[in-house]
Amino acid sequence: MTLTTRSIAAAAIAALTCSAPALAQESTDPIVIPTHNWSSQVVMSHVVGQIFEEMGYTVEYVSTDSQAVYEAVRLGDVTLELEVWEGAFGVAFSEALEKGGIVDAGDHNAVTREEWWYPLYVEEVCPGLPDYQALNACADKFATPETAPKGRFLGGPVDWLKHDQERVEALNMDFVVVNAGSAAALWAELAAAEKEGRPIVLFNWTPNFIEALYPGKFVEFPPYEEGCKDDPAVGPNKEMTYDCGNPANGYLKKAAWDGMEEKWPAAYAALTKISFTNAQIAEMAKLVDIDEMEPEDAAAEWLEANEDVWKPWIE
Ligand code: TMO
């Protein structure tokens, strides 16, 4: 960054915060935003990054493992995290909170679910769905040469740490868990199965672009309860953990390095106000996964179409 852009940035921030002492506190170091391996998170990261740039900050993006990121935020190696999904990252986030160095920067106005999911036509071959026991009763319908006679469950990339194998064992299900290498691989397999009308059960979540494209349902496992992941006594199997589904009404939070507020006060203030809805998050994913835009272009388009949503966050 040149000196001129630096002073423009400082002036922009001064105008925003309206006070000289606040100006002195704002660092010109880049705000580092981690990106992961699903589209809404990448687009949202660019949306927020571009908002920060509009405020005069410099922003850097770094592709980061979605579990390891909580340690990276805690240490200040990255500045924040924009999509803390309760189902996949609740445990890592809580552990990091306990260690210190990371703060809860508030919730999005969104309800999330991450779960085994099937396209609606599967109900024709598996009566009793979406109950997991009904799914298990027709496990062989999902068999492939590599899993037969058991059914194949297509899980997400391993860093989402869904513990599907543990769940299959704890609930005594006739399924083999196969992890997809990427989110794109999940959608490619879903598209191929749908074209042939072939049964498939795979990991999916909401908000996502999928609901706009394919009718389908989440499988209903024994409901999530606090303790199910680490206390065998919780859940129907008294000897094993992970004998439950993911939270059906999960949170979606933002998190920040605890030094962010002091180093970039106006950006931190904006971060605490930023809140996206299910529909907005699904739209961000759609711009990439259906419209095939690059994440930074998708973010720019989203910002242009939604000024009334985000401008108040930086006023
Ligand atoms: C973390 N994810 C939204 C992919 O389930």
Side-chain angles (χ1 to χ4, degrees):
M1 193 194 227
T2 66
L3 221 67
T4 328
T5 26
R6 248 178 228 281
S7 34
I8 292 168
I13 291 161
L16 272 162
T17 56
C18 307
S19 80
L23 165 64
Q25 287 165 14
E26 292 280 352
S27 169
T28 53
D29 289 350
I31 294 173
V32 182
I33 302 183
T35 59
H36 307 307
N37 49 358
W38 65 97
S39 303
S40 69
Q41 196 275 348
V42 183
V43 176
M44 190 190 293
S45 293
H46 283 273
V47 163
V48 172
Q50 289 174 26
I51 291 174
F52 288 163
E53 282 173 350
E54 175 88 14
M55 296 170 77
Y57 293 102
T58 342
V59 175
E60 270 173 22
Y61 302 92
V62 30
S63 169
T64 308
D65 178 279
S66 64
Q67 296 287 336
V69 74
Y70 296 95
E71 189 65 10
V73 174
R74 220 173 61 69
L75 300 174
D77 293 342
V78 301
T79 311
L80 50 83
E81 166 60 52
L82 289 163
E83 286 195 10
V84 186
W85 290 66
E86 181 175 4
F89 313 116
V91 171
F93 179 50
S94 300
E95 283 173 4
L97 277 177
E98 260 169 49
K99 284 195 200 166
I102 189 170
V103 293
D104 182 335
D107 288 65
H108 291 284
N109 182 20
V111 176
T112 64
R113 186 167 188 185
E114 303 158 79
E115 197 53 273
W116 293 33
W117 180 95
Y118 59 85
L120 212 53
Y121 62 82
V122 170
E123 294 196 342
E124 288 158 28
V125 291
C126 285
L129 283 175
D131 180 69
Y132 81 101
Q133 284 161 317
L135 179 77
N136 200 43
C138 72
D140 61 325
K141 300 275 190 347
F142 302 89
T144 61
E146 59 169 335
T147 67
K150 293 188 176 183
R152 177 174 184 268
F153 168 69
L154 180 63
V158 282
D159 65 301
W160 300 347
L161 221 71
K162 304 310 301 180
H163 300 280
D164 296 306
Q165 192 57 50
E166 288 95 327
R167 191 193 296 182
V168 160
E169 284 160 28
L171 295 175
N172 200 15
M173 295 178 75
D174 298 319
F175 275 86
V176 174
V177 176
V178 175
N179 285 100
S182 65
L186 291 172
W187 317 138
E189 286 216 32
L190 171 60
E194 199 251 4
K195 214 168 158 195
E196 297 168 20
R198 181 163 36 85
I200 184 170
V201 56
L202 74 166
F203 182 69
N204 187 15
W205 58 88
T206 184
N208 197 358
F209 75 97
I210 286 290
E211 57 228 58
L213 221 54
Y214 304 95
K217 283 186 193 164
F218 289 111
V219 176
E220 299 294 342
F221 287 96
Y224 175 78
E225 297 173 70
E226 194 67 44
C228 164
K229 294 179 180 180
D230 43 42
D231 181 357
V234 176
N237 182 335
K238 300 302 170 205
E239 272 144 38
M240 292 175 89
T241 52
Y242 295 105
D243 48 340
C244 64
N246 290 303
N249 299 293
Y251 66 63
L252 187 67
K253 283 183 179 292
K254 303 154 288 172
W257 170 52
D258 73 354
M260 183 183 178
E261 182 171 14
E262 204 182 307
K263 194 164 176 183
W264 300 281
Y268 180 77
L271 176 67
T272 60
K273 289 181 200 151
I274 285 169
S275 168
F276 297 109
T277 63
N278 282 56
Q280 289 163 348
I281 295 163
E283 168 74 10
M284 290 177 196
K286 177 207 158 258
L287 291 170
V288 166
D289 287 320
I290 300 181
D291 302 345
E292 301 186 340
M293 296 180 78
E294 291 301 323
E296 47 273 44
D297 299 337
E301 177 160 315
W302 192 91
L303 285 165
E304 190 169 330
N306 292 278
E307 288 193 351
D308 55 323
V309 174
W310 62 269
K311 285 260 163 95
W313 296 334
I314 63 170
E315 261 153 22

